[in-house]
Amino acid sequence: MNYGELNQWFLREQQWALLLILAAPLAGALFSYCTISLGPRRQMLAGWIAVCAAFVSFAVSVCFWLFLDWSAEGGAANSGVFLFPWIAAGGLHLDAALKLDSLSLTMILTVTGVGTLIHLYAIGYMAHDHSKPRFFSYFNLFLFFMLLLVLADNLGLMFVGWEGVGLCSYLLIGFWHQQMPNARAGQKAFVVNRIGDAGFLLGMFLLAAEVGSLDFDAVQDQIAYLNPWAIEAACMLLLLGAVGKSAQIPLFVWLPDAMAGPTPVSALIHAATMVTAGVYMIVRLSPLYNAAPAVQFIILALGSLTALLAASIALVQYDIKKVLAYSTVSQLGYMFMALGAGAYSYAMFHLVTHAFFKGLLFMAAGAVITGCRHEQDMRRFGGLWSPMWGTFIAYLAGTYAIAGLPLGSGAYSKEAILWAVYTAPDTAAGLTLFNLVSWGGLFWGIGLAVAFLTACYMTRSLVLTFFGSYRGEGEASESSATMLVAMAVLIPPAMFFGHSRGIPLLESLRPWARQDLLLSQSELMRDDLYRALEHIALFAAGAGVVLMLLAYSIGRGFMMRLGNCIPERINPLCCKWWVDELYEYLIVRPLAFTARVLFFAVDRKLIDRSIDLSAEIAGASGQMLGLLHTGRIGHYLLIMLAGLFFGAAFWLVF
Amino acid sequence: MPFDIDLAGSLLTVLVGLPLAGALIVFLMPQSRENAAQWVAVSFSLAELCLGVLLLVRFQAYLPGYQFTQHIDWMPELGIAYRVGVDGLSVLLIVLTSLLSALVVIAAPSVREKRGAYLGCLLFLEAGMVGVFCALDLVLFYVFWEAMLIPMYLLIGIWGGERRVYAALKFVLFTAIGSLLMLAAIIYLGYRYEQQFGMPSFYLSDWSALQLGLREEVLLFGAFALAFAIKIPVVPLHSWLPDAHVEAPAGGSVILAGVLLKMGLYGLIRFCVPVFPEACAGAGPLFVVLGVIGIVFGALVAWVQDDVKKLVAYSSISHLGFCVLGFGVFNVWGLKGAMLQMLNHGISTGALFFLVGVLYDRAHSRRIADFGGLAQKMPLFAFVFLSVSLSSIALPLTNGFVGEFLILFGAYRFQPYAAVAAVSGVVLGAVYMLSAYRRLMFGDFMAPNGAQIHDLNRREKIVFVPLLALVLVIGVYPQPVLDLLRLPAQQTISQLSTEGRNPPEVNILGDEERIIEKGRN
């Protein structure tokens, strides 16, 4: 069979291929769980089953990429498959139907590609764990739900994936559930996400009521006929869902805690894929969001504030995974900034590059953690570059990319976003801040500050972990081969992906993106403003790196004094701006108090007691009446006479 | 009237009679032959389940009206007859009843004392419940309704916990107060029918023709609705439920939550809507408010429970709040969702009470604080508990989601703020269910002294397999069930809308839906 025939054959069978993308991880989840009946040594099979399943999905996705014509003018190829009607009631119909277009293809390539590598990595990471079948089963199940989320052709089915990945996240954060904090973190993630999901549900109801359907195509066709307020409201409600899933203000608090899960989980779910689902959802609904300028402005503001807040907290964290977690929140903030600026393709671009370099960084961090006997405190690392140079190279590459240094993938996507934000039209009624700076300029300034901070905290973590002298106990050792291979494969894309400044696949997003967005490299390079902003951003990143290198080499004493001058207890950065405490005292405790009042005061005392009381009154009055029945004729006669007397008196008087 | 003995005609009668016969046999068996009684009960309940499935298979979902009807004169001079028949909703509830009863009977060996009598009560109860779901004559309905009370009273009062007598009495008094008012209303309606048509009748379909004054209608509706609201239970009338659940044996709780709580809503849909359409339509907003109160109240109170059985009991109040809400909005989504959620709640809460029973069996404690880390010693138990909890908090691809989604959408169409208020139940559900799960299953292993902690045994596995299968099947492919519920829901709406409260979009959309589906096929 030559290439042409293969191509034809694939096109004919593409519906089955699309199903296979979903079916492989689902089957993998089932089969890898089945290995639980094997002996502890043979349970390693679970990992390989899971890797194979993920790889099958990846391979089929690549086939779709190769064999379908994605460059077609005026609407690239797409593929779809209708499975069965899922919920149909009174005109509302949600179908189990899949849809593959250039946007979802970009996403599944990223998810399955990075996913396969992290599965491979997990084989090494979980080598000494006793619950491998459970772990890999959850891991594959996550992949299934994530792909379902991406491939769904309507919001309802997307919600299935949306909640499904939330479930897997819950299960995997609390994977080592003997430790109560892990279980608590998982629960927190689920509940906080559920708050967002409630908004998602209401948004779906609004759209279903206004449009009559939740199919993405139908929604898009109907936009012109919808009430402007309905669009704004639907976008706002769905945004609540995205804010929960993608850990933005005000619902970001679950993500740092989610680091309680095994590191492959943090890499795949809480960095590369699941947390970007909110971004993906908004891009998927970009025609709708384009018609909601007020919500776009809110997204821009939320994204930039989140990016700044999280980057500032990352600066003082000592737990290496917490640094990366806050960094993820911050980078997601960048993606939201792009969404708010209407630059959906840039958001997707950053999503992809972030998946690569943050996946890589987490894998390297995990390798450090296992190499140092499950130590996560960077104060106990140091000088690790020589015992684990492979890991060091991976972490270095990731840091280079995320910091936005020249020619790194992060630089391209970040600069594109900053440019889009700077040139964003003043969405909120043309307001400018004190007539001095446009909103675009203000948010660009925040974005620039975040770029600087990103370079700072990443360099700090790199220096504390790999340079200087080793401060931990025992010997640090390099990780197993599978982990190193997985990292090595991811280094090139993390470093260099994005030299074309954008993903050709995303050209198809153009009709809904801002018309002035530039997508190709040549266009961008001709733009003077872009080049100016690019240089400023590169300078900010370089300044951050140099500053931190200086600070941790010659300025060590100064850093110590700086750290000591504000006690940790009142340092807003160390206390994470007291957001958790705010929720604890404003929401959780009042709610728990209300629940107690409802139970003890209303339910037990008021309702139940009054019912018991009425029963007691009935009983008591029965007893009182019973007292009359003494059984003596004399008493009865007396009562009868009294009755006659009073009756006669009554009759006489009235 | 000649007896028309064909299978279709008397299937319902067989369904009522079979467990009754089983109950008689089991009662008559000597006390010492407990194992034999067990076998008899199991075979009777399985036969009943098979007949229930047969009913489901033979039922024509696309035909309007009642099917498998049978009419035997009982007291002709009073217009009282033995009339039975089913529509889609009753078929589903009958299958649910026979399934849960069979599972409870299978799980009965965990009952240590007087097992024969226990089984007899269960079978007797099953006959009453099936009777309630297929009776079309109001007097017959009342007979079954009251007949159910006796075995339930005994189940709580004899095989219950420490405060069983108090709980049993409370349960019976609450129900009796409501049902006596209902009886008065039934008699009054029969009397009115004779006044208007010259002959007495208690047949439901006859009563739709009754002409009632508004004041009369509201009062009569109130009497019916009170009886049903106590049974549901709607929030201020719920306080019998936690006590009854906590004291009842595990099997009793399963039946109580799984089937008996459905009867209130079933009664509202089956009897109140056709007979009192105006009053029902007027009371819709009241039901919406009560439903939302139930959702939030039940969820919050469930959160602070220390007794896991009480937690499940209050979660039932929250879930039934969803059903009441779906009923009160009176559109096709809300009604379908409410009907489906009745079935779902039977499955998931039934399973939860089974699980609590498993735990109590092993440790003789229901205090959440007594346990911890059970997932280490009982992985299968933890898995089943998780799956059922997820169904209870309505995760997509479990049955709970489909029902809740439709109810919330119906509520949104009725009044967006109602949906906003009710959607808080989605969050709170996750809060109380997952925190209970965490405290029981995670952390360091802990169990009361003397507890025999081991994973599910074979009998328990048999119980949970069908329940879990239903959770998944209805969650993934709910369409067959929704098809069964389409006509009942539409019929309810058309009954309401004859009184001028016409939501025209419903019918149009209903047609559109059929067209779309035809196009697909």
Side-chain angles (χ1 to χ4, degrees):
Chain A
M1 205 189 269
N2 62 26
Y3 184 80
E5 276 176 87
L6 193 68
N7 198 341
Q8 287 302 317
W9 177 78
F10 186 82
L11 289 180
R12 266 201 315 280
E13 308 292 336
Q14 55 176 300
Q15 293 206 327
W16 293 108
L18 199 53
L19 276 182
L20 183 61
I21 293 181
L22 276 182
L26 186 62
L30 290 177
F31 287 125
S32 52
Y33 196 79
C34 289
T35 58
I36 202 159
S37 54
L38 302 177
R41 285 175 59 86
R42 301 229 297 269
Q43 284 183 358
M44 208 57 205
L45 195 60
W48 291 106
I49 293 174
V51 170
C52 290
F55 184 75
V56 167
S57 280
F58 176 63
V60 178
S61 308
V62 170
C63 289
F64 267 106
W65 183 33
L66 294 178
F67 292 145
L68 268 67
D69 184 13
W70 297 101
S71 61
E73 280 296 317
N78 62 63
S79 181
V81 53
F82 175 85
L83 295 175
F84 55 87
W86 180 39
I87 302 177
L92 174 78
H93 51 94
L94 301 179
D95 295 328
L98 309 177
K99 173 183 163 170
L100 183 74
D101 60 2
S102 54
L103 174 62
S104 40
L105 181 67
T106 311
M107 197 73 184
I108 60 169
L109 281 170
T110 315
V111 168
T112 54
V114 177
T116 306
L117 289 176
I118 298 179
H119 273 73
L120 185 68
Y121 171 86
I123 288 182
Y125 193 87
M126 303 300 286
H128 303 295
D129 197 90
H130 298 300
S131 321
K132 283 187 276 288
R134 191 162 60 93
F135 178 84
F136 284 102
S137 172
Y138 291 166
F139 223 37
N140 255 349
L141 192 66
F142 164 78
L143 211 55
F144 165 75
F145 278 121
M146 188 69 206
L147 292 168
L148 186 65
L149 188 161
V150 173
L151 290 172
D153 99 322
N154 60 62
L155 265 177
L157 195 62
M158 182 188 245
F159 191 69
V160 175
W162 188 272
E163 290 259 282
V165 290
L167 166 69
C168 296
S169 164
Y170 163 76
L171 292 171
L172 284 164
I173 294 171
F175 182 74
W176 289 314
H177 53 64
Q178 281 92 329
Q179 280 95 37
M180 206 39 132
N182 299 354
R184 267 181 214 285
Q187 190 189 336
K188 182 174 174 184
F190 196 91
V191 170
V192 172
N193 267 299
R194 267 263 153 153
I195 298 173
D197 293 352
F200 196 120
L201 272 175
L202 290 173
M204 278 203 284
F205 296 149
L206 205 164
L207 275 182
E210 297 290 324
V211 179
S213 166
L214 288 174
D215 291 358
F216 292 122
D217 294 336
V219 171
Q220 192 184 315
D221 293 341
Q222 293 284 315
I223 289 172
Y225 312 106
L226 291 181
N227 251 339
W229 73 262
I231 297 181
E232 298 273 3
C235 285
M236 195 63 213
L237 288 166
L238 290 168
L239 174 65
L240 188 60
V243 157
K245 190 81 26 196
S246 292
Q248 299 292 293
I249 292 175
L251 298 181
F252 69 94
V253 286
W254 65 270
L255 185 57
D257 289 24
M259 295 302 123
T263 306
V265 174
S266 313
L268 180 61
I269 302 184
H270 303 118
T273 55
M274 182 190 83
V275 288
T276 61
V279 178
Y280 172 76
M281 188 264 285
I282 292 179
V283 176
R284 179 52 81 199
L285 289 171
S286 51
L288 197 68
Y289 275 86
N290 263 348
V295 177
Q296 279 194 309
F297 181 77
I298 293 172
I299 297 177
L300 188 53
L302 278 183
S304 50
L305 285 180
T306 309
L308 187 63
L309 183 95
S312 72
I313 299 174
L315 214 48
V316 296
Q317 294 298 312
Y318 281 109
D319 182 330
I320 189 168
K321 284 181 75 179
K322 285 272 164 73
V323 174
L324 294 179
Y326 281 107
S327 162
T328 304
V329 175
S330 172
Q331 300 297 312
L332 289 165
Y334 268 127
M335 294 174 213
F336 270 66
M337 287 167 82
L339 296 175
Y344 302 105
S345 52
Y346 293 175
M348 285 303 293
F349 184 19
H350 197 57
L351 188 158
V352 175
T353 55
H354 176 255
F356 290 152
F357 58 64
K358 191 52 70 64
L360 181 64
L361 281 169
F362 262 113
M363 287 203 266
V368 169
I369 291 167
T370 46
C372 297
R373 291 177 191 72
H374 292 275
E375 179 60 60
Q376 297 187 198
D377 193 331
M378 293 194 294
R379 283 168 293 198
R380 293 174 175 279
F381 295 154
L384 293 180
W385 64 272
S386 75
M388 36 177 93
W389 58 269
T391 307
F392 168 62
I393 291 174
Y395 201 88
L396 186 66
T399 305
Y400 191 89
I402 192 177
L405 294 172
L407 303 178
S409 67
Y412 294 112
S413 51
K414 205 180 290 180
E415 280 152 17
I417 289 175
L418 287 175
W419 176 79
V421 170
Y422 189 84
T423 57
D426 282 331
T427 43
L431 284 178
T432 51
L433 197 63
F434 307 121
N435 288 329
L436 286 174
V437 200
S438 68
W439 282 110
L442 175 75
F443 291 131
W444 172 79
I446 296 179
L448 192 69
V450 175
F452 172 73
L453 290 176
T454 308
C456 288
Y457 66 71
M458 284 314 300
T459 314
R460 171 176 172 267
S461 74
L462 182 78
V463 171
L464 281 178
T465 306
F466 291 101
F467 297 152
S469 54
Y470 186 55
R471 298 180 290 275
E473 289 152 17
E475 195 95 336
S477 57
E478 184 61 291
S479 313
S480 64
T482 51
M483 291 163 76
L484 287 175
V485 167
M487 285 191 274
V489 176
L490 202 51
I491 287 176
M495 272 298 281
F496 303 115
F497 181 82
H499 274 253
S500 61
R501 301 193 189 240
I503 313 166
L505 280 174
L506 291 177
E507 289 276 352
S508 66
L509 283 176
R510 187 152 201 170
W512 306 296
R514 271 169 40 208
Q515 290 307 309
D516 60 326
L517 282 188
L518 309 171
L519 291 176
S520 70
Q521 182 173 21
S522 53
E523 279 177 320
L524 281 172
M525 290 323 286
R526 277 198 302 275
D527 193 85
D528 287 336
L529 178 65
Y530 180 85
R531 297 188 57 175
L533 295 179
E534 181 188 19
H535 288 133
I536 297 175
L538 285 178
F539 176 77
V545 173
V546 171
L547 185 73
M548 278 294 135
L549 285 178
L550 287 178
Y552 278 95
S553 51
I554 45 179
R556 187 161 281 265
F558 172 72
M559 289 302 286
M560 293 286 283
R561 279 201 301 281
L562 189 70
N564 290 337
C565 75
I566 314 175
E568 272 196 17
R569 210 161 41 78
I570 57 160
N571 184 339
L573 300 185
C574 296
C575 298
K576 303 159 192 166
W577 296 99
W578 296 283
V579 180
D580 273 321
E581 287 76 6
L582 200 71
Y583 285 146
E584 178 74 22
Y585 288 103
L586 280 187
I587 297 174
V588 179
R589 293 204 178 178
L591 204 61
F593 179 73
T594 315
R596 271 171 216 290
V597 168
L598 277 181
F599 177 55
F600 290 109
V602 178
D603 190 70
R604 290 291 92 181
K605 285 271 155 31
L606 192 70
I607 299 176
D608 204 46
R609 191 68 207 123
S610 63
I611 280 159
D612 281 359
L613 212 62
S614 59
E616 277 162 26
I617 289 171
S621 47
Q623 294 221 319
M624 297 275 280
L625 290 174
L627 287 179
L628 295 176
H629 296 255
T630 52
R632 289 193 186 175
I633 306 285
H635 285 169
Y636 292 160
L637 277 176
L638 199 65
I639 291 168
M640 198 175 82
L641 280 177
L644 277 175
F645 174 76
F646 280 111
F650 190 80
W651 184 68
L652 283 175
V653 172
F654 296 100
Chain B
M1 169 147 191
F3 271 81
D4 179 18
I5 302 186
D6 59 328
L7 173 72
S10 39
L11 182 58
L12 291 177
T13 307
V14 175
L15 271 166
V16 175
L18 193 66
L20 206 58
L24 277 179
I25 296 174
V26 170
F27 274 132
L28 290 175
M29 288 173 87
Q31 281 270 326
S32 53
R33 307 285 302 278
E34 276 190 348
N35 283 332
Q38 175 74 35
W39 281 110
V40 170
V42 166
S43 37
F44 267 92
S45 61
L46 284 181
E48 174 85 353
L49 178 59
C50 293
L51 286 180
V53 173
L54 182 71
L55 180 74
L56 181 69
V57 173
R58 298 285 292 274
F59 185 80
Q60 311 281 320
Y62 289 89
L63 291 181
Y66 299 107
Q67 299 176 30
F68 298 97
T69 50
Q70 192 174 24
H71 172 200
I72 302 168
D73 277 341
W74 184 10
M75 294 178 243
E77 60 276 20
L78 289 176
I80 300 171
Y82 173 86
R83 282 176 189 274
V84 289
V86 287
D87 67 354
L89 176 63
S90 3
V91 168
L92 283 179
L93 290 173
I94 288 173
V95 174
L96 175 72
T97 305
S98 56
L99 174 69
L100 286 180
S101 300
L103 296 181
V104 168
V105 168
I106 289 172
S110 63
V111 172
R112 299 277 183 275
E113 49 193 49
K114 302 194 197 100
R115 205 200 305 161
Y118 175 80
L119 291 166
C121 279
L122 282 178
L123 288 173
F124 186 55
L125 184 60
E126 182 175 12
M129 295 186 294
V130 173
V132 163
F133 289 131
C134 59
L136 294 179
D137 182 282
L138 268 287
V139 174
L140 185 67
F141 170 76
Y142 187 78
V143 168
F144 284 130
W145 177 274
E146 291 289 299
M148 268 169 10
L149 270 186
I150 304 160
M152 200 65 223
Y153 175 73
L154 294 177
L155 280 176
I156 300 175
I158 297 178
W159 292 275
E162 282 159 20
R163 295 170 70 221
R164 54 180 178 260
V165 177
Y166 168 79
L169 199 62
K170 199 169 177 182
F171 165 73
V172 166
L173 284 181
F174 258 87
T175 321
I177 289 169
S179 45
L180 283 177
L181 282 174
M182 182 168 75
L183 179 64
I186 289 174
I187 293 169
Y188 180 82
L189 279 165
Y191 160 76
R192 286 287 287 162
Y193 190 85
E194 195 189 5
Q195 271 191 336
Q196 287 179 15
F197 296 92
M199 52 173 187
S201 168
F202 290 88
Y203 182 34
L204 174 65
S205 304
D206 287 347
W207 279 13
S208 321
L210 271 173
Q211 300 291 321
L212 297 172
L214 184 62
R215 199 183 149 77
E216 208 179 12
E217 184 176 333
V218 169
L219 279 175
L220 291 167
F221 169 73
F224 270 87
L226 186 70
F228 294 143
I230 289 174
K231 203 78 172 181
I232 287 174
V234 167
V235 152
L237 307 173
H238 67 276
S239 73
W240 61 271
L241 179 82
D243 287 316
H245 268 314
V246 168
E247 300 307 325
S253 286
V254 171
I255 296 291
L256 186 59
V259 186
L260 260 61
L261 298 192
K262 311 296 150 357
M263 292 187 170
L265 214 59
Y266 174 80
L268 282 174
I269 293 171
R270 172 70 70 247
F271 300 108
C272 284
V273 171
V275 182
F276 317 111
E278 270 190 333
C280 262
L286 179 68
F287 281 112
V288 170
V289 171
L290 288 174
V292 170
I293 290 177
I295 292 169
V296 177
F297 180 90
L300 280 176
V301 174
W303 187 23
V304 293
Q305 296 308 313
D306 190 42
D307 182 320
V308 60
K309 216 167 175 187
K310 251 189 177 158
L311 184 141
V312 181
Y314 280 105
S315 85
S316 282
I317 294 173
S318 185
H319 286 138
L320 268 298
F322 272 105
C323 293
V324 172
L325 171 68
F327 172 72
V329 300
F330 291 135
N331 55 36
V332 70
W333 304 285
L335 276 167
K336 262 193 187 178
M339 292 173 180
L340 180 61
Q341 200 64 355
M342 285 157 73
L343 180 70
N344 290 340
H345 178 260
I347 296 167
S348 63
T349 306
L352 276 175
F353 276 120
F354 270 124
L355 286 162
V356 175
V358 167
L359 202 57
Y360 189 75
D361 240 22
R362 309 239 186 310
H364 295 281
S365 167
R366 290 183 305 255
R367 280 189 66 222
I368 298 177
D370 283 350
F371 297 97
L374 291 178
Q376 297 159 43
K377 296 279 169 72
M378 308 170 78
L380 204 57
F381 176 77
F383 170 77
V384 176
F385 205 119
L386 182 69
S387 316
V388 176
S389 301
L390 293 176
S391 154
S392 164
I393 63 181
L395 201 85
L397 297 191
T398 64
N399 56 351
F401 176 73
V402 184
E404 247 183 62
F405 183 84
L406 287 174
I407 291 170
L408 287 171
F409 182 60
Y412 183 86
R413 293 303 297 261
F414 175 77
Q415 166 58 263
Y417 292 112
V420 172
V423 93
S424 65
V426 171
V427 180
L428 293 175
V431 172
Y432 68 75
M433 216 58 228
L434 289 187
S435 64
Y437 187 76
R438 174 176 55 78
R439 287 189 284 163
L440 284 175
M441 300 295 173
F442 296 154
D444 292 324
F445 176 74
M446 191 168 64
N449 280 339
Q452 306 275 321
I453 297 294
H454 52 88
D455 212 346
L456 300 182
N457 60 31
R458 211 177 73 202
R459 199 177 61 237
E460 289 155 349
K461 283 181 200 164
I462 292 172
V463 168
F464 288 118
V465 164
L467 293 174
L468 286 192
L470 281 176
V471 163
L472 198 65
V473 167
I474 300 179
V476 174
Y477 193 59
Q479 210 49 53
V481 180
L482 289 175
D483 283 341
L484 274 175
L485 295 174
R486 169 181 297 151
L487 282 175
Q490 277 176 357
Q491 191 195 348
T492 304
I493 287 165
S494 63
Q495 280 161 349
L496 285 167
S497 57
T498 49
E499 297 299 316
R501 197 171 187 280
N502 189 10
E505 69 208 355
V506 169
N507 298 328
I508 297 165
L509 288 175
D511 291 338
E512 184 198 352
E513 181 187 325
R514 272 196 291 281
I515 292 163
I516 289 166
E517 287 198 353
K518 237 179 236 163
R520 289 230 171 86
N521 302 331

